[in-house]
Amino acid sequence: MIHDPRLHPSRVPGVRAVDLRHVTDRVRGDLAVVEFAEILPFQPRRCFWTYAIPDLQTRGRHAHRLCSQFLVCAHGRCRLHLDDGRQHEEWVLDRPDFGVLVPPMVWAEEHGHSPDSVLLVLASHPYDPDDYIRDYAEFLRHLDPAPTLPT
Amino acid sequence: MIHDPRLHPSRVPGVRAVDLRHVTDRVRGDLAVVEFAEILPFQPRRCFWTYAIPDLQTRGRHAHRLCSQFLVCAHGRCRLHLDDGRQHEEWVLDRPDFGVLVPPMVWAEEHGHSPDSVLLVLASHPYDPDDYIRDYAEFLRHLDPAPTLPT
């Protein structure tokens, strides 16, 4: 169940894509599951979901100092852009049985939302506005060692 | 944030309906959140979601011996039938910012799913097939004291 990196390699250290356990049943309907202790390196303390996102809107645009997150597009689709100041990559979240683990200190942006998208996020920490780094240059300065900004 | 029983009274003891904290933003899109320690009387250890449920299908049809669950229809709509052997009630889950807490030993059935429904469930325990009571007569026998079956 845990992500096979041969299937979903990530360029950003600490990022992990996971094919979730799921049951497909044409008669009863489908189900996907996250058993926290099996899948996640943290115990979630918060869960939120975004919806009704206008299609040209970008959400996220921040990094967390401490909070880890696990993201699944449970309905519809969107794209997830990740960047640790050295490597960047884009994930397409378009299956309710596919999730991406984003560790702290990775810059994340979500965009390309379909009108019906529901992006579900399991977070390791309660909401704390001080945990957010919303300025990209500040994010780079917090990395150790700080990468060189392009000139 | 916590359920005001004047707004959402429940006939089934232990069942609690919760208007979730949410942010409505026409430009950036909407967000609803469950801060576990604020909202839930348990620490979730599992999260699952059901989808692509045929509209005449009923899911659930069981009680849990130990597991508590918190249910939110994060997209679309469905109906939730609850029954503790004495009282029964039906909830319409049609808002991504409204959830219902279902304690152990309450019989639950979900039906009337819209084709686009995503029913999100936060569960207090990992999956355990022995925690399910799938026979209604057996469920009634497990209640203390057992109610009398209609003759």
Side-chain angles (χ1 to χ4, degrees):
Chain A
M1 207 55 47
I2 301 285
H3 163 52
D4 179 343
R6 294 168 301 184
L7 296 177
H8 304 297
S10 168
R11 283 197 292 267
V12 179
V15 169
R16 192 154 53 87
V18 182
D19 289 313
L20 297 172
R21 185 178 297 154
H22 65 282
V23 180
T24 303
D25 186 326
R26 284 199 182 178
V27 176
R28 298 189 62 240
D30 299 350
L31 181 151
V33 62
V34 182
E35 293 274 359
F36 297 167
E38 283 181 24
I39 299 289
L40 303 177
F42 59 85
Q43 172 63 53
R45 293 192 161 73
R46 177 171 53 118
C47 175
F48 62 91
W49 42 98
T50 61
Y51 50 100
I53 316 287
D55 65 350
L56 296 179
Q57 190 56 240
T58 297
R59 287 194 67 107
R61 277 191 178 144
H62 59 250
H64 288 277
R65 297 171 202 273
L66 296 175
C67 188
S68 294
Q69 298 192 325
F70 185 70
L71 295 91
V72 178
C73 202
H75 196 266
R77 64 185 181 283
C78 70
R79 295 198 301 278
L80 173 64
H81 180 84
L82 299 177
D83 173 355
D84 69 349
R86 295 171 181 83
Q87 303 286 340
H88 60 91
E89 65 188 8
E90 183 136 319
W91 294 94
V92 176
L93 304 183
D94 61 354
R95 285 196 284 126
D97 55 2
F98 177 75
V100 177
L101 174 73
V102 180
M105 292 309 291
V106 170
W107 188 264
E109 302 185 356
E110 298 95 43
H111 61 111
H113 298 264
S114 62
D116 59 351
S117 77
V118 177
L119 180 63
L120 172 67
V121 182
L122 294 163
S124 63
H125 287 66
Y127 175 71
D128 175 6
D130 293 336
D131 190 53
Y132 287 71
I133 302 175
R134 296 189 182 277
D135 179 81
Y136 187 75
E138 184 192 347
F139 163 67
L140 292 180
R141 285 196 299 275
H142 277 79
L143 297 175
D144 182 29
T148 310
L149 270 174
T151 52
Chain B
M1 207 57 42
I2 300 285
H3 163 55
D4 179 343
R6 293 169 300 184
L7 296 177
H8 304 296
S10 169
R11 282 197 293 265
V12 179
V15 169
R16 192 156 54 86
V18 183
D19 287 314
L20 296 172
R21 184 178 300 155
H22 65 282
V23 180
T24 302
D25 186 326
R26 283 199 184 178
V27 176
R28 298 190 62 241
D30 299 351
L31 180 151
V33 62
V34 183
E35 293 274 359
F36 296 167
E38 284 181 22
I39 299 289
L40 304 177
F42 60 85
Q43 171 63 50
R45 293 191 164 74
R46 177 170 52 119
C47 175
F48 63 90
W49 42 98
T50 59
Y51 50 100
I53 315 288
D55 65 349
L56 295 179
Q57 190 56 242
T58 297
R59 287 194 65 108
R61 278 194 178 142
H62 58 250
H64 288 277
R65 298 172 201 271
L66 296 176
C67 189
S68 293
Q69 298 191 323
F70 185 70
L71 296 90
V72 178
C73 202
H75 196 266
R77 64 185 181 283
C78 70
R79 295 198 301 279
L80 172 64
H81 180 85
L82 299 177
D83 173 355
D84 69 350
R86 295 172 180 82
Q87 303 286 340
H88 60 93
E89 65 189 10
E90 184 137 317
W91 295 94
V92 176
L93 304 183
D94 60 355
R95 284 195 286 126
D97 55 2
F98 177 76
V100 176
L101 174 73
V102 181
M105 293 308 292
V106 170
W107 188 265
E109 302 185 357
E110 299 95 44
H111 61 109
H113 298 264
S114 61
D116 58 350
S117 76
V118 176
L119 181 63
L120 172 67
V121 182
L122 293 163
S124 63
H125 288 65
Y127 175 71
D128 175 3
D130 292 338
D131 190 53
Y132 287 70
I133 303 174
R134 296 189 182 278
D135 179 83
Y136 187 74
E138 184 191 347
F139 163 68
L140 293 181
R141 285 195 301 272
H142 277 80
L143 298 173
D144 183 27
T148 309
L149 269 174
T151 51

